Every structure is written in structure tokens, then in C-alpha cells.
Amino acid sequence: MPGPKDLTYLGCSIANSVPILGDRWNILILRDAFMGVRRFEDFQTDLGIARNILSSRLDDLVAAGIFETREYQDNPPRHEYRLTEKGKDLMDLLLALWRWGDRWAPPELRDPRKLIHLDCGHPTQIVAACAHCGGELKRSNLRIEPGLEVVEATSSDTQVPA
Amino acid sequence: MPGPKDLTYLGCSIANSVPILGDRWNILILRDAFMGVRRFEDFQTDLGIARNILSSRLDDLVAAGIFETREYQDNPPRHEYRLTEKGKDLMDLLLALWRWGDRWAPPELRDPRKLIHLDCGHPTQIVAACAHCGGELKRSNLRIEPGLEVVEATSSDTQVPA
DNA sequence: CAAGTGGGTTGCAATCTGCAACGGACTCCG
DNA sequence: CGGAGTCCGTTGCAGATTGCAACCCACTTG
């Protein structure tokens, strides 16, 4: 039985989000949604996604509670897809994706657009901060409890069979 | 010619990262990598991923510069997959994914493990901060230049045909 | 020498993707 | 009024991708 596999056995919040967020089109659809796109036709022409796939992905996103549909016209019933709170909460993730892509992509592929932080007026990028103390979160100051360092202490770096 | 489509035409850093990061297995492999997993066999048994798929994904991640291989044994040549700087830089993204999954998943699916910020000693989650001023990044204080608000001004909320 | 470990590759069947065409229900325009 | 256009899908089909299991190779261990 090929086709996407059920991953709940992994018992991890990342694994739980993966069925929705580990999909190229869903990510791009969300990017568009954050840019203000809301209608089927607009997603389709902007992304160049096949209509059947778009239809299926939008259904998935609605089922996942990330989008909700809202009627904007009665006569031929038309609705648009809007981000729910759960969906809006994905912004951090999109920003992180943007920052990473921007930092590591070859210059000619970089997005010329800038992200402006209106509070300070400067172009910005996301930095991971601690929800408790506001300090930066780095590989070196994080631990997963119980056990397991997020980053290994590179203990085996010199492990050449002696 | 079905199969993944080239998305570079979208000219966006998110779109550029999507071929690699918009894949369920790649995300899970990275999660494991941040937990310290480095070897083929360990990824395979931990994730339950098919061996051919794992092989192909690891190759992709190496080609993308996220992993690098390092020999740890000569005789039957054996190597492990280690995160490069580019790979390590994905931590924010994984943390954002974790936070989102944790916040919105039904309680019984939540990951019981906690993330500890060693600098302050408290369990934490990621918060998006401005790289320039350190203030929190929210939908309401961001703009994409040129044009386009990240968040719509909900101008059409009351747009009932009059 | 048989079994085990580590890291893959190969084959096959079941899905999933992408494309293009078709559909329905209006609205707009000449 | 007829034809074109808009919006949102659904349906068919060929080709790609998955998942599974089996196989292979090169040691190492008992």
C-alpha cells in the first residue's frame, strides 16, 4: 500500500505537523495566503498548480483547521479561503523558511522583496527567541528533556581508530 | 511529465527551499539529525522509512549542502551524515514547527518532551523576534516591501453587497 | 564458517502528480 | 438573445513517486 504513510507512531509534534506542512504545495499556498491571496483562481494562476491538486490541498488545509471558507457571493455560490488563528500562527514558520532560503540561496535566486518591521522601521529577518526570557535560542543553549542534547557535543570528532 | 514540478519561476526564497523542505521525510530526517542521529541504519529504524527512500533523501540533502558525509571507518567504508552550517541553521525552522505542532495538536498527540533554554533554565518555545531591534514579529507589525501587507487590513470584512 | 551489522540497490504494485479537457452557474457585452 | 468571460471545481489519463520486501556486498564476531 504505497502512498503517504501514517506517521503518528513517531509521537512527536513535528511528525504530527508533517502530513500537512511537509508538502510543497501546502507551503506555497500558505505563503500566498499570507500575501493576501484568498481565492481558488488566484492561488491557481499565481502558483501554476494543477487545479485538481489545488482543490485537494485546499480541502486538506480546511480539514486541518488552517483555512476556513467564507462566502463572499451568493448567486453562483463563491467562497474564499481565509486563514484561521491556527493558520495565522504559522507565520513564524514561513518567516523562518524565508530567512533560511534567503540566507543560503544563490544570490540570483533571492527574493528581492524585503520584510519590514514596522515597530522599528528596519528591514528584518526572524531570530529565534526564548518565550520565557527573550534570549536567543541557539543550538548550544538548548536541551530536550528528558535526555538528548539538541546538538551533540561533537564528542566523536577526534574518534579515529587508534 | 508528472512528478515534482520546477518551482524556480516563483522567484521567492520560500519557493526555493520548498523542493527540499516541503518533503515529509526530509523534515523528519532533519528532526532526527538535530537529535543526534547520523547513520543510515539509525535513521531507518527510528523513522521506519523505506531504505530506498532514505537513501535518496540523504543524497538530496547532501546535494543541497545540508548534510555532509564523514568517514568514521575505513575497512568496509562507512560514513555518517552530519549537519553542515547550512543544515544547522534550520534549527529555527524545526523549532517553529515543533511549537506550532505542540500548540495546536490534540493533547494526546503532543510530544511529552520539553525544550529547555539553558541560559534561563526554563522550558521554552520559540518566539519570532526582529533581528534588528529584538522586538516581537507579529502579523500586525510586518510589511513586505514593495507593496503587500503581510496581513490584510481586513478591508472587505464588511463587504456585503449593498 | 555461519550469523550479524551497516549501507545500500532492485523489482514490483499501488498511489499521487500534472496536464488538459469538460462542467455548471452565473455576468457582461454587443 | 447569443457568445464570451469568470470562478470553481471534477474527470481521465499517462507517467512519477512511494512503500515493501528481497537481495547484495564487505566486513566482523562467535
Side-chain angles (χ1 to χ4, degrees), chain A residues 135-148:
Chain A
E136 186 171 352
L137 298 183
K138 289 177 289 197
R139 280 163 49 82
S140 53
N141 64 15
L142 285 174
R143 199 179 60 218
I144 293 171
E145 199 107 298
L148 289 169

Side-chain angles (χ1 to χ4, degrees), chain A residues 5 9 34 47-48 89 114 150, chain B residues 5 9 34 47-48 104 150:
Chain A
K5 191 181 163 180
Y9 67 91
F34 277 103
L47 297 177
D89 197 37
K114 298 291 175 206
V150 176
Chain B
K5 193 181 164 180
Y9 66 92
F34 277 102
L47 298 176
W104 297 96
V150 176

Side-chain angles (χ1 to χ4, degrees), chain A residues 24-136:
Chain A
R24 16 191 272 115
W25 290 123
N26 283 345
I27 292 174
L28 292 169
I29 289 169
L30 285 166
R31 181 201 65 154
D32 272 22
F34 277 103
M35 301 292 204
V37 176
R38 291 185 192 154
R39 299 190 183 172
F40 188 95
E41 208 65 20
D42 295 335
F43 283 116
Q44 204 278 315
T45 56
D46 188 57
L47 297 177
I49 179 177
R51 312 185 124 251
N52 50 349
I53 307 292
L54 176 58
S55 184
S56 138
R57 290 299 187 274
L58 288 172
D59 288 349
D60 293 347
L61 289 165
V62 169
I66 290 172
F67 275 140
E68 62 191 355
T69 54
R70 178 194 284 232
E71 308 298 318
Y72 68 89
Q73 178 182 298
D74 271 345
N75 222 326
R78 291 286 181 268
H79 51 272
E80 49 189 20
Y81 296 86
R82 286 172 175 250
L83 290 165
T84 58
E85 279 310 308
K86 183 175 177 181
K88 291 175 186 173
D89 197 37
L90 284 165
M91 195 193 59
D92 297 3
L93 205 131
L94 274 288
L95 291 180
L97 203 47
W98 187 352
R99 196 216 45 152
W100 186 84
D102 216 53
R103 184 179 295 179
W104 297 97
E108 70 275 16
L109 287 182
R110 264 175 221 156
D111 191 337
R113 288 171 296 185
K114 298 291 175 206
L115 191 64
I116 310 294
H117 184 214
L118 298 175
D119 290 357
C120 72
H122 289 84
T124 190
Q125 277 297 359
I126 191 180
V127 169
C130 171
H132 184 267
C133 71
E136 186 171 352

Side-chain angles (χ1 to χ4, degrees), chain B residues 33-48:
Chain B
F34 277 102
M35 302 291 204
V37 176
R38 291 184 192 157
R39 299 190 183 171
F40 188 94
E41 208 65 21
D42 295 335
F43 284 115
Q44 204 277 316
T45 56
D46 188 56
L47 298 176

